[in-house]
Amino acid sequence: MVRSSDVLLILLGIIFPPAAAAVITGCSCELLITICLTILGYIPGHCYVFYLIYKKMKAEEEYGFGNVRYLGNGEYQPIGAPINPPPPQQPYYGATR
């Protein structure tokens, strides 16, 4: 389901792709990638921004509108889920503990 905010992101992505990437991801590596792709050619910047918009729309369909956290690299996670659970502690091999 396409929301009006998604339509605005698509229009912003058509006019100026780095601005749409900044709205979606904030100041992140994806913004730098979008700027570089837009400088190299206008079409690659569009393709990457439309990919980011698509991933955002799919995450909102799966987890619900406003219930997702952007992790980077086009990955989303539900807000209630732990970001990265700590690894289990390794046994003390050779130690006296």
Side-chain angles (χ1 to χ4, degrees), residues 37-53:
L37 287 173
T38 305
I39 289 172
L40 289 173
Y42 203 60
I43 301 300
H46 277 96
C47 293
Y48 191 68
V49 165
F50 292 149
Y51 166 74
L52 291 176
I53 293 171

Side-chain angles (χ1 to χ4, degrees), residues 8-33:
L8 291 175
L9 276 174
I10 292 170
L11 290 176
L12 188 60
I14 291 171
I15 295 169
F16 190 60
V23 169
I24 296 171
T25 65
C27 186
S28 66
C29 183
E30 279 81 12
L31 177 61
L32 181 64
I33 291 170

